Amino acid sequence: MQTAADAGDAATLLAAVPAGRRVALVDPRFVGHLHALRLGLTDPRFPAVTVPGALTAQPEARGALLRALHRTTAAVGAGAPVVEPDADPAPEDRTVPGRIAVALEAEGTAVQRPALGSLVAAVPTDPEQQAAAEAGLASVDDEAVRLRNAVKAHDGFFTTYCISPYSRYIARWCARRNLTPNQVTTASLITALIAAGSAATGTRGGYVAAGILLLVSFVLDCTDGQLARYSLQYSTMGAWLDATFDRAKEYAYYAGLAIGAVRGGDDVWTLALGAMVLQACRHVVDFSFNEANHDAVANTSPTAALSDKLDNVGWTVWVRRMIVLPIGERWAMIAVLTALTTPRIVFYALLVGCSLAACYTTAGRLLRSLTRRASRTDRAAQALADLADSGPLARAVAKVAPGLPGAFTAPAVALLGTLVMIGGALFLPYGSPLTVAAAAVYVVLSGLAVARPLKGALDWLVPPFFRAAEYVTILVLAARSDVPHAVPAAFGLVSAVAYHHYDTVYRIRGGTGAPPQWLVRTIGGHEGRTALVAVLAAVLTHTSGFTTALTALAVAVALVVLVESIRFWVSSSAPAVHDEGELA
C-alpha cells in the first residue's frame, strides 16, 4: 500500500506496479465497512469494480485505468469535472476513484458497481456527512451482512430453511482456516462417492449410511458456494468443479444404488439409466430455453407477467420452487428413501417426481414462447446451434439441403426425427437393419432441423429433442439386447456424453462459446453417435461384443471430452465465474 500526494503521483505509482497485478485506488477520506471495501477491491470476476471512494482494476483493465488517470489528472487538479458540464454527477463520482470510473466507462471498459445494501461506503466532505457515515457504521454489523449475503439469493425451500441457516457458519469456519471453495467442493465429491460406495454394498446399514452421507455431501455442496461468496474466492477452476461435480455426484450415486440392488437380487440398471436420462433432458430444456431468451428483445409474454406477479406472493414462490424438484429437495428425497426403502422405490420416485417437474416446467416455457412477442438475437441462435451438438453428418445434410420454411419447422422436424429414431429402437425387431435405416432417417432430419438459424419461437426445443433421441436410443437398445452388462455400459456412455453436453452449457454461460468444432467432429455429434450405436446393435446382435463396444465408445468419448474440458477450464481463457443460475 502506498500513499499518493495527488492524482498525478497516483498515476506514477500505478505505472510502476508490475503489469500482471491487480491495482486499486482508494480515497484517503473513505469511511465505510470493511466488507464494502472488500466487495469493491477483491472480487476477481470483473475487469474493474468501484464503490464510492474506491476503484480496482484487473490486469486487463490496467491500460484503460492509466489512460483515464492521465487524461483526468489536469482536470482534477484544476477542479474541473470529468463529466459533461451540464450533467449532475452523483456524489461518489466526484471523488478521484469515482471520476476515473466514469472515464473508464466512457472509454468502453465495463465497471461493476456492487449493490451494497445497508453497508456504508462514503467519502464525507463535511462534519455532518462524517457523522452520518460513522452512525451508519455503528448501526450495521457488516459481518452479519456478509454472512447473509453468502447465501444464494434464490434457492429451493429445503436448502433455504434446512441447510443454509447453519451451512453459512461452516463457510465462515472454513474461511477462517484458509480453506478454499475448491477444497470444500472436492470434499463434497469424495463424500458423495463414499455414499455411492455405501449404497453399493446392498445392505440396510449401507443404505442408511449412504443416505446420511448424501445429505452431508449436499451440506458441503452448499458450503462451497457460500464460502466463495463470503470470501469472494471466485476462480476458473471453481467454476468448472462446481458446474460438473453436482452431476458427477448424483449419477455416481445412481450407479451405487444400482450395484447395491443387483447384489440384493434386483436389477434396476435400466431404471437408474432412465432416471439419469430424464434428469439430463430436464436440464437441457432449462438451459436451452434460458439461452434462447436471456437477451431477447421486447419480451411481452403475459405468462411471464403472471409468473412475476406470483413471485410477489410468498407461499406461491416456495410451492413453485418445490414443484420443479430442485437439487435440495431431490437429494433429500433420495437420501430418505435410500435409508428407509429399496433402490427400486428410489428410482420409481425419481422417475415420477422428475416427470411431473418436467411437465410443469416445459408447459410453462411453451406458454411463454407462444405468447411472447420478441426478436431472438444472433447470439441466442448460435447458442442453440451449439447446444444442438450437430456432428459432421448433420452438418453435411444442412449444408446441401435448403432450409425449410415455417415458424415451427425446426422443432417439428427435430421431433419427427426423434420419434422415428426412438420408435425404431423400441418397436422394430432388435438387430434389424431397419433400425439402421431409422438412424439414417434421423441423420437426415437432424440436418434439416438445423439448416436455418434457430430463431423461431419454439426452436429452443431442438436441442432437448436431440438429447432425448440419443439418450433414449442408447437406453432402449442396451435394455433390449439381453446382453449381460450392456445397460451398465450404456450408463457409462450416456454419462460421458452428458458430461460433454453440460460442459458445452457452462462454456456458453461463461461467455467463451461452445467447445471447439474439432471436438464435436471427433466424438461424432449426437446423430453420429446415435447412428453408430444403432449399427453396433445390428452387427453385434445378442453378443457380448455389444457390451464391449459400448464400453469402448464410452471410454473414448470420456477421454476426449475430459482432456479438452480440463485444458479449457484450467487455462487463463476460462471465465472466473461462480454459477448462480437456476435451481439444478
Side-chain angles (χ1 to χ4, degrees):
M1 180 183 297
Q2 299 187 57
T3 302
D6 52 31
D9 189 25
T12 302
L13 292 173
L14 288 177
V17 178
R21 294 185 182 177
R22 173 202 293 268
V23 295
L25 286 172
V26 181
D27 194 299
R29 299 166 296 172
F30 176 86
V31 176
H33 286 102
L34 177 61
H35 192 53
L37 201 58
R38 188 184 291 112
L39 289 171
L41 301 184
T42 63
D43 195 326
R45 295 174 295 174
F46 311 103
V49 186
T50 187
V51 295
L55 170 72
T56 186
Q58 294 271 39
E60 60 265 32
R62 284 276 303 277
L65 171 64
L66 285 174
R67 289 192 298 272
L69 191 53
H70 283 305
R71 284 199 311 271
T72 58
T73 296
V76 171
V82 176
V83 295
E84 294 298 325
D86 58 347
D88 183 17
E92 60 267 24
D93 292 339
R94 298 191 184 109
T95 65
V96 171
R99 291 170 183 266
I100 300 302
V102 171
L104 283 173
E105 290 175 320
E107 185 179 320
T109 300
V111 180
Q112 175 71 10
R113 300 173 186 268
L116 299 180
S118 58
L119 295 174
V120 174
V123 180
T125 57
D126 56 49
E128 183 178 343
Q129 292 180 2
Q130 181 80 22
E134 291 176 352
L137 277 176
S139 64
V140 176
D141 182 353
D142 72 333
E143 179 61 19
V145 173
R146 188 182 181 189
L147 271 174
R148 185 168 62 249
N149 291 343
V151 178
K152 188 184 294 187
H154 303 287
D155 223 327
F157 181 88
F158 179 77
T159 304
T160 299
Y161 290 103
C162 299
I163 304 297
S164 293
Y166 59 88
S167 62
R168 70 185 76 183
Y169 295 101
I170 300 176
R172 183 172 65 180
W173 183 90
C174 293
R176 290 177 175 176
R177 284 152 182 82
N178 297 319
L179 297 176
T180 67
N182 293 350
Q183 291 171 331
V184 178
T185 302
T186 303
S188 176
L189 174 66
I190 293 172
T191 304
L193 294 179
I194 296 174
S198 298
T201 62
T203 64
R204 177 52 52 194
Y207 290 148
V208 172
I212 294 172
L213 288 170
L214 188 64
L215 289 177
V216 172
S217 175
F218 183 66
V219 171
L220 294 173
D221 183 57
C222 295
T223 301
D224 66 357
Q226 291 165 0
L227 175 59
R229 286 181 286 272
Y230 180 86
S231 56
L232 298 178
Q233 296 185 70
Y234 303 101
S235 67
T236 54
M237 178 66 78
W240 174 58
L241 295 178
D242 190 66
T244 57
F245 276 15
D246 280 351
R247 305 287 80 78
K249 288 181 287 190
E250 187 166 3
Y251 299 155
Y253 192 82
Y254 290 179
L257 280 176
I259 293 171
V262 169
R263 288 188 170 182
D266 186 14
D267 189 344
V268 297
W269 271 109
T270 300
L271 293 177
L273 180 50
M276 182 170 72
V277 167
L278 178 57
Q279 189 61 25
C281 289
R282 277 188 63 201
H283 281 148
V284 78
V285 167
D286 295 338
F287 297 146
S288 188
F289 177 82
N290 290 337
E291 288 303 323
N293 296 288
H294 90 282
D295 59 352
V297 179
N299 189 344
T300 57
S301 167
T303 306
L306 175 61
S307 178
D308 292 339
K309 289 181 180 179
L310 289 175
D311 280 343
N312 294 323
V313 182
W315 67 270
T316 66
V317 175
W318 296 119
V319 170
R320 292 166 67 208
R321 289 185 188 177
M322 287 188 287
I323 287 175
V324 301
L325 204 63
I327 188 169
E329 278 75 359
R330 192 167 67 250
W331 282 27
M333 180 185 74
I334 293 171
V336 171
L337 290 179
T338 298
L340 300 179
T341 64
T342 65
R344 180 172 290 274
I345 292 177
V346 172
F347 288 124
Y348 282 154
L350 271 172
L351 290 168
V352 172
C354 290
S355 295
L356 293 175
C359 291
Y360 171 77
T361 55
T362 305
R365 284 158 170 69
L366 286 171
L367 286 173
R368 290 189 183 207
S369 300
L370 292 173
T371 57
R372 66 193 291 271
R373 294 189 298 275
S375 299
R376 183 153 293 145
T377 64
D378 291 336
R379 184 250 180 229
Q382 182 59 51
L384 291 180
D386 292 333
L387 290 173
D389 192 34
S390 299
L393 298 177
R395 289 179 181 272
V397 172
K399 192 172 182 178
V400 300
L404 299 176
F408 304 115
T409 301
V413 171
L415 175 59
L416 178 60
T418 298
L419 293 176
V420 168
M421 188 66 255
I422 295 177
L426 271 173
F427 301 115
L428 290 174
Y430 181 80
S432 167
L434 292 177
T435 306
V436 179
V441 173
Y442 174 67
V443 169
V444 173
L445 293 175
S446 298
L448 291 175
V450 297
R452 298 179 65 184
L454 298 175
K455 291 189 173 184
L458 296 180
D459 285 1
W460 58 269
L461 286 169
V462 171
F465 285 149
F466 289 163
R467 293 298 83 73
E470 179 179 5
Y471 297 167
V472 175
T473 297
I474 295 172
L475 165 62
V476 170
L477 291 179
R480 293 187 65 193
S481 68
D482 291 328
V483 176
H485 310 303
V487 178
F491 189 98
L493 176 57
V494 173
S495 298
V497 174
Y499 176 87
H500 163 61
H501 290 144
Y502 282 114
D503 186 52
T504 301
V505 166
Y506 288 107
R507 292 199 198 201
I508 294 173
R509 280 184 171 183
T512 57
Q517 275 302 306
W518 70 260
L519 174 66
V520 178
R521 289 194 299 269
T522 301
I523 60 176
H526 71 92
E527 80 291 348
R529 291 186 297 270
T530 305
L532 177 59
V533 172
V535 170
L536 291 174
V539 173
L540 304 172
T541 306
H542 301 304
T543 68
S544 60
F546 186 53
T547 297
T548 304
L550 288 180
T551 303
L553 183 57
V555 171
V557 171
L559 284 176
V560 173
V561 299
L562 278 173
V563 168
E564 163 56 21
S565 177
I566 293 171
R567 182 209 64 78
F568 170 78
W569 285 104
V570 300
S571 70
S572 59
S573 62
V577 298
H578 193 84
D579 180 38
E580 297 288 346
E582 59 281 322
L583 309 178

